[in-house]
Amino acid sequence: MKSAQSLGAAQAARLISLPEKISAPNPLKEALLEPIRERNAFLDYIFYDLGTLNHDEVAQLAPGYAREGAILLVQPSGRGGLRLWQDFDAFRAEAHRGMADCIAVAGVGSSALGTAAFARNVADAIDGPVLGVVSGYGLADLFSESLGGFFWFGWVNAVRHAFEPLDAATRMMPSSLEVPNGQISMAIRRSLDVKTLLSLLGMIDVSLLVGHSKGNLVISEALFALLQHDPARAGALAQNGRIVTFSAKIAMPKPWTQVIDVMGELDGFGLMNSRPMIGTDRRVKSAWHHTNTELLFHLPVTQVLRELL
């Protein structure tokens, strides 16, 4: 199967880059996280459509496939591949506002492989480019997962933020965030994936946000933060902005009224992480939590999104 081949190619490319990781500024941190990152890459094989990525794209992503806060520009299948920026500063230096108006955030395995595959599904649905934000994996996530498992992100996310100082001690995490529109300084302690999405929302006129699983929570947190610190910008984006959530129903700020929540009818994991008072707008027959179209009971993101939009 193409998805398994993509995973194998990623593991081979990552092995080649091992000497570089050993010589990294924080080799102990890399050693601690590498087994979890490998596990998460495997989870992304299960839960995302890795078969939509070609060999060159997989090789490009593999060395840093767990870098939290990285940004991808993903084109539809057969239309130019993808680009990768390691952080928002690198993206801002090269990017322009009109390159894409859709952002996708994956969330199960939290690797760039899954992010790229999910963004490719979305790009094929809208027939246009999509920006993907990598949820990534840091020490804060390692501690929070040890308490509850990645599926229980609804309450574990609060614990995750409590451990953010561990990540700050091992990387140069900014203490404030500047949003280009108004240069707003934010002192909120938030995970880097949320910070990255928040920065993108301040720079790009986003018309569509699409999330899967824990990615929906990242979207929600970024939108609530934007509403709190720049309500005018939040209102402008919400006026014509749409949100589509897959596999977890998470509360979004009130200005965003065009929210469509999609659930597979077999998706017990998604229901455990959903707000019980939020209804399901589209229930997909015989679908579970995963979106890998090569596996049985998948949720076909591209097909469903085309029908919805």
Side-chain angles (χ1 to χ4, degrees):
M1 296 190 297
K2 289 184 178 180
S3 292
Q5 293 173 354
S6 294
L7 177 63
Q11 291 174 328
R14 194 159 179 84
L15 183 62
I16 294 173
S17 67
L18 185 59
E20 178 184 350
K21 293 178 180 58
I22 295 176
S23 61
N26 300 290
L28 179 59
K29 174 187 175 182
E30 296 300 315
L32 285 171
L33 293 178
E34 187 60 22
I36 307 297
R37 289 168 173 167
E38 292 293 345
R39 181 203 70 172
N40 282 16
F42 178 76
L43 289 174
D44 277 349
Y45 155 67
I46 298 295
F47 286 96
Y48 294 108
D49 215 3
L50 299 192
T52 62
L53 306 175
N54 62 43
H55 184 275
D56 291 340
E57 292 169 339
V58 170
Q60 179 183 353
L61 295 172
Y65 61 34
R67 191 180 296 275
E68 184 180 14
I71 299 171
L72 300 170
L73 176 65
V74 181
Q75 302 289 345
S77 298
R79 298 253 298 272
L82 55 84
R83 293 183 64 187
L84 170 66
W85 293 270
Q86 300 294 355
D87 53 38
F88 177 73
D89 289 338
F91 173 83
R92 180 169 54 181
E94 294 184 19
H96 56 85
R97 293 175 180 269
M99 65 165 37
D101 61 359
C102 174
I103 297 177
V105 187
V108 175
S110 301
S111 88
L113 292 174
T115 300
F118 183 62
R120 174 62 49 78
N121 282 164
V122 176
D124 287 342
I126 67 172
D127 194 31
V130 172
L131 290 171
V133 175
V134 180
S135 296
Y137 212 85
L139 290 176
D141 303 86
L142 179 62
F143 274 82
S144 64
E145 281 205 18
S146 70
L147 296 176
F150 72 93
F151 276 116
W152 298 96
F153 54 79
W155 65 270
V156 169
N157 185 74
V159 179
R160 174 186 179 187
H161 293 321
F163 284 101
E164 286 293 339
L166 289 171
D167 281 330
T170 56
R171 70 180 177 212
M172 295 300 294
M173 177 183 285
S175 59
S176 64
L177 177 67
E178 287 188 344
V179 179
N181 181 17
Q183 299 297 301
I184 302 167
S185 178
M186 300 187 180
I188 299 177
R189 296 298 303 173
R190 289 192 176 271
S191 52
L192 191 53
D193 44 14
V194 175
K195 283 187 173 184
T196 299
L197 179 55
L198 182 56
S199 297
L200 288 174
L201 294 172
M203 175 181 177
I204 297 171
D205 294 330
V206 180
S207 64
L208 177 63
L209 288 162
V210 185
H212 176 260
S213 189
K214 190 179 68 176
N216 299 329
L217 186 63
V218 174
I219 291 173
S220 175
E221 289 192 351
L223 293 180
F224 274 109
L226 181 65
L227 180 62
Q228 179 181 356
H229 292 274
D230 192 353
R233 175 65 175 169
L237 289 179
Q239 186 173 5
N240 297 309
R242 293 175 291 178
I243 301 172
V244 179
T245 73
F246 287 92
S247 305
K249 297 176 289 185
I250 303 295
M252 300 294 172
K254 289 183 179 179
W256 276 268
T257 58
Q258 300 184 66
V259 181
I260 302 175
D261 295 296
V262 181
M263 292 287 296
E265 68 176 7
L266 306 178
D267 190 0
F269 285 120
L271 288 176
M272 284 191 295
N273 288 286
S274 296
R275 298 293 178 88
M277 300 302 293
I278 299 176
T280 300
D281 300 302
R282 174 66 184 276
R283 192 177 304 276
V284 182
K285 186 177 180 179
S286 302
W288 190 56
H289 201 75
H290 68 281
T291 67
N292 187 341
T293 57
E294 296 178 353
L295 302 179
L296 293 174
F297 307 114
H298 64 271
L299 198 164
V301 171
T302 299
Q303 175 186 332
V304 171
L305 199 54
R306 279 176 179 165
E307 294 171 357
L308 292 175
L309 299 180

